Amino acid sequence: MKTAVIYNSQTGFTKKYAKWISQELGADCFEFSKAKKQNFDEYEAIVFGGWACAGGISKFKWFKEKVEKWANKKLVAFCVGGTPMGSPLIDQAMQRVLTDEERKKINLFYCPGGMNYDLMSSSSRVMMKMYAKMLKSKKNKSAEDEAMIKMISSSYDISDRKYIQPIIECLQ
C-alpha cells in the first residue's frame, strides 16, 4: 500500500515517530510545511502525526479538513505527548479530538514522546513552567500531581519504537 506520512514536530519527538513509521512501511515522509503543497492523489494511505498541544493535536485541523477529499484512502493519525502510556488522561484527550463521525474515518493513536525544553518555543516553555508552578503551589497535592511535577520539571524522553506497532498493524 503506497503510504505517505505527514508530521508536525516542535521538539523532534513527532518527527522521530514519523521517521520510524515511514521506515517500517517504506512510506514517503513529509514535514508539514512541505506537505501542504503536496498532491496526495497517488497514495492509498495517509498518516498524520502531530504533537499534543493544549488538549488538541498541532495542525490536526488541516488533516481533518482533508478527510472528505481523501475518503477513498486509509487515514491514520497519531499524537505524540509527554504523558506516559497507560494514563487515563490519554483516553480523555483522544476522545476530545475526534467526533464520533470522524472516528469512523480516521484511526487515531497515541505515542509517548517526552519534553525537550531546549527545543521548545518560548511560548511553550513559558506555558509549561507556569503549569509546573501552578501544580507546585497547589494545596493537598495528589500522587498524580506530585508525579506530574517531577516529570515536567526537566527534559525527558520516553519515546520507544515499540509504540508504532499498532499503527503499523492498522496499515497492513
Side-chain angles (χ1 to χ4, degrees):
M1 178 180 321
K2 187 161 171 99
T3 304
V5 179
I6 303 162
Y7 68 92
N8 182 52
S9 187
Q10 181 180 43
T11 60
F13 296 104
T14 307
K15 179 179 182 178
K16 184 189 306 186
Y17 277 107
K19 296 290 184 183
W20 286 341
I21 293 165
S22 64
Q23 288 168 358
E24 189 77 23
L25 296 171
D28 295 331
C29 193
F30 302 93
E31 198 276 324
F32 177 74
S33 63
K34 293 179 177 85
K36 294 189 303 185
K37 302 167 190 154
Q38 195 72 28
N39 180 343
F40 291 97
D41 291 346
E42 67 184 278
Y43 294 95
E44 300 164 271
I46 300 176
V47 179
F48 177 84
W51 47 279
C53 177
I57 302 172
S58 66
K59 308 300 182 192
F60 197 43
K61 181 179 177 191
W62 173 86
F63 181 73
K64 292 192 326 180
E65 288 171 350
K66 307 284 187 212
V67 168
E68 293 309 315
K69 179 181 178 185
W70 294 339
N72 62 332
K73 301 178 187 307
K74 178 93 173 185
L75 300 178
V76 173
F78 67 95
C79 172
V80 178
T83 303
M85 205 59 125
S87 169
L89 298 174
I90 296 169
D91 289 335
Q92 294 168 11
M94 299 300 266
Q95 287 298 315
R96 286 192 304 265
V97 297
L98 289 176
T99 66
D100 289 339
E101 194 59 35
E102 290 168 335
R103 262 186 218 87
K104 294 175 187 173
K105 301 170 185 173
I106 301 170
N107 296 283
L108 182 62
F109 299 89
Y110 177 79
C111 299
M115 222 171 286
N116 186 331
Y117 283 102
D118 293 336
L119 297 177
M120 272 185 193
S121 68
S122 298
S123 59
S124 293
R125 195 169 34 251
V126 167
M127 184 178 73
M128 289 308 300
K129 295 295 182 181
M130 286 173 49
Y131 179 57
K133 187 176 180 178
M134 180 203 70
L135 280 176
K136 288 176 184 175
S137 68
K138 186 177 175 184
K139 292 182 193 228
N140 302 320
K141 293 178 203 67
S142 67
E144 287 177 345
D145 293 335
E146 294 290 352
M148 183 64 79
I149 291 166
K150 184 177 179 187
M151 189 168 57
I152 66 173
S153 293
S154 61
S155 296
Y156 62 95
D157 182 349
I158 54 174
S159 59
D160 191 312
R161 195 177 182 112
K162 70 183 179 187
Y163 295 118
I164 68 167
Q165 206 51 49
I167 298 169
I168 302 305
E169 289 171 8
C170 177
L171 288 161
Q172 291 177 330

